């Protein structure tokens, strides 16, 4: 039994930090080029022009004061020439200000902020590709300037939405998976944040109770509301104005009520802001899911539990699931977070649809996953010889299934289970043969051979059958329309924001 003696802390849960304070180790990179102040030649030039006109100097008079031609000063003010530090210092002295003031990225007023945004947009590759004329923004009236900047913002958003094609989604997923592999799927900063939250609510060891999960919401100032009319495209809805968190009654009655609650709270604990693109949306989702799992299966309790199991050579995803009272998929995911970092065990994880398509995947043990030309795994067909596929043919759905698979990259042992419910997905976790000695189920005699990605392994029919039926068959494909469509547009892909706003309006009274 895992025990702990730490006295429950009385410190509050830390409020989400400002985005500027984020550690660079986070999965999510904040891309604020369109929002954050930028120091560039254009910003410096506008500051020079402001202080020059404030002192009632002509271009020629300022140029004479710093030993430069008026045309050179004009180029600096228009952002076409970036001044050296020497010239910058001379300009600051002649204008009665400081170098720091000229380099300060913050606009001097709202009008200057709009002018800078408009001119930067006109200098962008996107604007150039439209073959439109340049506009002298300085001479524009305020309402016209605001309209142009508004149109530029909308144009950028439309282009971003169009860029969220399936190809872009797969590229983003590939980049994220590479980051996870490079860090062995263990993110110390998220583990530390989970530990801090757990200490604040008085957690000691063992499974996290529903009451303790609710206390995290209380510490964040949220009240919980379980409703029957939650928008179908959401798992939860946060009313940040009134500090209400809405969850489905179905989750409360039929599923682990802690999972969606903690995932929703994790976004607030992490200080997430609306994502600027699909890659950031995906990273935020992984961060929130990771933190929620780290709260459900705390590192300080799960590591000793697994260490004891490893000592007894009986590591089991089922036992990890049962001890912490979580789903099999959550336990399997969490094991991949801890296995390599704490026990030196390379692992792989797969969630595979009954059709054979890979829904989720992670590996740092060399298992040869199927990939498309972009290097993406999701959406590809897993080998029919893999444990994640053969488990569907097992009649006993209540016992864990174990199997060895010989591949071109070596032999792998794997345990898999078909998820309860409709049975549309299986989840499998495995390790290379050299590490199977630590696992329960290593004595299995089940074995298969995979030659994938060789198409003759399982994707191409035997030659005799192909010769007989290739010209005499016409199947009607059961293809999901979503495979051909772009990623649903919007800040949160796939979420019907109209339904969300109508829902909040109904409940806000």
């Amino acid at each position: 039994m895992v025990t702990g003696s730490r006295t429950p802390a009385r410190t509050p849960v830390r409020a989400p930090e400002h985005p500027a304070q984020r550690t660079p180790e986070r999965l999510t990179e904040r891309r604020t080029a369109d929002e954050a102040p930028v120091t560039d030649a254009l910003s410096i030039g506008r500051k020079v022009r402001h202080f020059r006109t404030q002192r009632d100097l002509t271009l020629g008079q300022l140029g004479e004061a710093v030993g430069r031609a008026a045309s050179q000063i004009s180029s600096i003010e228009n952002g076409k020439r970036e001044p050296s530090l020497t010239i910058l210092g001379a300009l600051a002295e002649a204008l009665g200000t400081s170098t720091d003031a000229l380099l300060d990225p913050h606009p001097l007023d709202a009008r200057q902020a709009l002018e800078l945004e408009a001119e930067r947009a006109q200098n962008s590759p996107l604007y150039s590709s439209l073959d439109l004329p340049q506009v002298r923004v300085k001479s524009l009236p305020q309402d016209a300037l605001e309209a142009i900047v508004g149109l530029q913002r909308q144009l950028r958003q439309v282009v971003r939405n169009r860029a969220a094609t399936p190809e872009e989604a797969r590229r983003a997923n590939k980049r994220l998976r590479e980051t996870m592999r490079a860090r062995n799927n263990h993110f110390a900063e998220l583990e530390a944040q989970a530990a801090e939250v757990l200490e604040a609510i008085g957690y000691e060891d063992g499974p996290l109770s529903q009451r303790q999960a609710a206390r995290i919401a209380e510490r964040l100032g949220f009240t919980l509301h379980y409703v029957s009319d939650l928008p179908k495209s959401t798992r939860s809805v946060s009313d940040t104005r009134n500090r209400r968190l809405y969850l489905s009654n179905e989750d409360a009655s039929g599923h682990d009520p802690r999972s969606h609650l903690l995932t929703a709270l994790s976004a607030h604990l992490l200080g997430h802001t609306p994502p600027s693109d699909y890659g950031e949306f995906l990273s935020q989702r992984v961060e929130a899911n990771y933190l929620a799992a780290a709260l459900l299966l705390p590192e300080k309790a799960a590591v000793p539990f697994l260490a004891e199991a490893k000592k007894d050579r009986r590591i089991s995803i089922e036992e990890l699931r049962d001890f912490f009272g979580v789903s099999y998929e959550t336990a399997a995911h969490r094991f991949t977070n801890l296995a390599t970092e704490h026990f030196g065990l390379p692992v792989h994880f797969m969630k595979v649809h009954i059709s054979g398509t890979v829904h989720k995947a992670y590996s740092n043990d060399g298992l040869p996953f199927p990939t498309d030309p972009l290097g993406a795994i999701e959406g590809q067909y897993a080998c029919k010889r893999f444990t994640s596929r053969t488990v569907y043919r097992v009649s006993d759905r209540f016992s864990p299934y174990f199997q060895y698979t010989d591949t071109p990259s070596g032999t792998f042992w794997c345990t898999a289970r078909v998820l309860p419910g409709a049975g549309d997905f299986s989840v499998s976790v495995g390790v290379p043969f050299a590490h199977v000695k630590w696992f329960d189920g290593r004595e299995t005699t089940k074995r298969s051979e995979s030659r994938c990605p060789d198409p003759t392994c399982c994707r191409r029919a035997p030659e005799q059958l192909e010769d007989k039926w290739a010209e005499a068959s016409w199947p009607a494909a059961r293809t999901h329309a979503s495979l051909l469509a772009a990623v649903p547009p919007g800040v949160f892909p796939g979420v019907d924001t109209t339904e969300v706003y109508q829902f909040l309006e109904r409940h806000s009274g």
Side-chain angles (χ1 to χ4, degrees):
M1 185 178 203
V2 180
T3 59
S5 58
R6 181 178 290 181
T7 304
R10 301 297 179 190
T11 55
V13 172
R14 176 186 292 176
E17 75 270 27
H18 187 277
Q21 298 173 316
R22 292 183 176 276
T23 166
E25 293 182 317
R26 283 284 172 84
L27 276 171
T28 306
E29 293 182 10
R30 304 294 164 188
R31 298 178 178 87
T32 55
D34 296 332
E35 304 162 4
V38 176
T39 299
D40 57 11
L42 193 60
S43 172
I44 295 171
R46 290 298 177 269
K47 292 286 175 57
V48 171
R49 175 183 291 172
H50 170 81
F51 289 114
R52 176 178 64 79
T53 56
Q54 196 176 58
R55 294 179 70 85
D56 200 25
L57 294 173
T58 65
L59 288 169
Q61 288 171 332
L62 180 57
E64 185 177 348
V66 299
R68 293 292 186 273
S71 60
Q72 290 180 294
I73 303 300
S74 177
S75 294
I76 290 173
E77 289 189 353
N78 290 327
K80 297 178 180 178
R81 178 175 179 176
E82 188 169 348
S84 65
L85 288 177
T86 301
I87 296 178
L88 201 61
L91 287 170
E93 184 177 353
L95 295 171
T97 186
S98 66
T99 302
D100 287 344
L102 296 180
L103 289 172
D104 186 352
H106 294 86
L108 293 168
D109 52 38
R111 170 75 189 198
Q112 188 180 88
L114 286 172
E115 288 182 1
L116 285 169
E117 185 174 349
E119 293 207 39
R120 288 190 182 112
Q122 288 190 132
N123 294 332
S124 69
L126 170 60
Y127 192 87
S128 299
S129 69
L130 299 175
D131 196 26
L132 295 173
Q134 294 283 318
V135 178
R136 291 177 58 86
V137 299
K138 188 177 184 302
S139 59
L140 287 174
Q142 185 71 12
D143 57 349
L145 179 59
E146 290 175 353
I148 285 177
V149 170
L151 287 170
Q152 289 169 340
R153 290 172 182 169
Q154 290 298 319
L155 178 61
R156 287 197 299 272
Q157 187 59 47
V158 168
V159 170
R160 282 176 182 152
N161 287 345
R162 286 181 176 176
T165 59
E167 289 78 12
E168 177 58 28
R170 290 199 291 272
R171 287 190 183 97
N173 219 11
K174 176 177 179 287
R175 291 192 296 268
L176 181 59
R177 190 174 62 252
E178 288 171 348
T179 300
M180 295 164 70
R181 183 185 296 120
R183 299 184 62 179
N184 291 322
N185 206 21
H186 183 270
F187 293 86
E189 68 278 8
L190 297 179
E191 299 286 356
Q193 187 158 2
E196 182 179 344
V197 171
L198 292 167
E199 184 177 4
I201 63 169
Y203 170 85
E204 291 187 353
D205 63 59
L208 185 77
S209 69
Q210 173 66 19
R211 176 58 189 146
Q212 288 172 320
R215 286 193 64 195
I216 298 175
E218 293 171 9
R219 295 278 182 148
L220 286 171
F222 280 97
T223 56
L224 303 181
H225 303 266
Y226 290 90
V227 296
S228 59
D229 61 337
L230 196 72
K232 298 300 183 183
S233 60
T234 67
R235 291 179 175 175
S236 66
V237 174
S238 298
D239 177 352
T240 56
R241 177 183 294 119
N242 299 301
R243 308 302 287 177
R244 292 179 173 186
L245 179 58
Y246 296 97
L247 298 117
S248 173
N249 274 329
E250 296 177 4
D251 293 331
S253 61
H255 303 283
D256 183 349
R258 301 167 300 165
S259 179
H260 291 169
L261 167 59
L262 291 175
T263 303
L265 293 176
S266 292
H268 299 290
L269 286 166
L270 292 163
H272 284 165
T273 55
S276 62
D277 55 32
Y278 186 80
E280 188 173 8
F281 164 78
L282 195 62
S283 294
Q284 287 183 353
R285 189 176 69 172
V286 170
E287 278 188 350
N289 287 340
Y290 190 112
L291 185 57
L295 293 168
L296 283 170
L297 295 88
E299 190 173 36
K300 80 169 201 172
V303 170
F305 178 87
L306 289 170
E308 187 69 20
K310 184 172 184 283
K311 178 183 176 183
D312 294 340
R313 296 177 179 244
R314 56 173 181 78
I315 294 176
S316 166
I317 304 301
E318 280 79 10
E319 289 192 10
L320 184 66
R321 172 201 63 187
D322 295 342
F323 183 83
F324 288 97
V326 296
S327 70
Y328 185 86
E329 183 177 357
T330 298
H333 264 300
R334 188 63 176 141
F335 179 72
T336 68
N337 299 150
L338 306 173
T340 308
E341 177 70 17
H342 291 282
F343 306 106
L345 297 174
V347 293
H348 66 264
F349 165 94
M350 297 181 76
K351 183 176 182 181
V352 177
H353 188 259
I354 192 170
S355 65
T357 55
V358 179
H359 188 68
K360 298 178 183 177
Y362 166 76
S363 168
N364 68 354
D365 66 355
L367 180 73
F369 280 138
T371 61
D372 68 5
L374 299 175
I377 296 172
E378 289 74 14
Q380 301 304 298
Y381 282 99
C383 178
K384 292 178 181 177
R385 278 51 164 173
F386 280 1
T387 315
S388 54
R389 300 286 303 275
T390 57
V391 68
Y392 283 110
R393 301 194 289 272
V394 176
S395 58
D396 181 2
R397 295 295 177 89
F398 297 98
S399 301
Y401 176 72
F402 310 108
Q403 176 182 294
Y404 288 97
T405 306
D406 299 317
T407 78
S409 299
T411 298
F412 295 84
W413 171 91
C414 199
T415 177
R417 179 176 285 276
V418 176
L419 298 183
D424 287 341
F425 289 96
S426 72
V427 167
S428 58
V429 177
V431 295
F433 180 81
H435 300 276
V436 70
K437 60 186 176 182
W438 310 112
F439 289 82
D440 185 31
R442 60 188 178 274
E443 68 283 353
T444 183
T445 58
K446 301 287 193 306
R447 200 176 194 103
S448 71
E449 180 184 359
S450 168
R451 299 189 311 280
C452 283
D454 183 343
T456 63
C457 174
C458 63
R459 296 295 296 152
R460 182 180 297 168
E463 186 175 350
Q464 182 179 1
L465 288 179
E466 188 168 354
D467 290 343
K468 181 177 181 179
W469 293 107
E471 303 297 329
S473 62
W474 190 277
R478 198 173 190 173
T479 304
H480 295 290
S482 59
L483 292 177
L484 308 177
V487 175
V491 176
F492 301 97
V495 172
D496 187 329
T497 53
T498 301
E499 286 188 0
V500 171
Y501 299 155
Q502 291 171 341
F503 168 83
L504 289 173
E505 186 64 22
R506 286 197 303 273
H507 289 270
S508 63

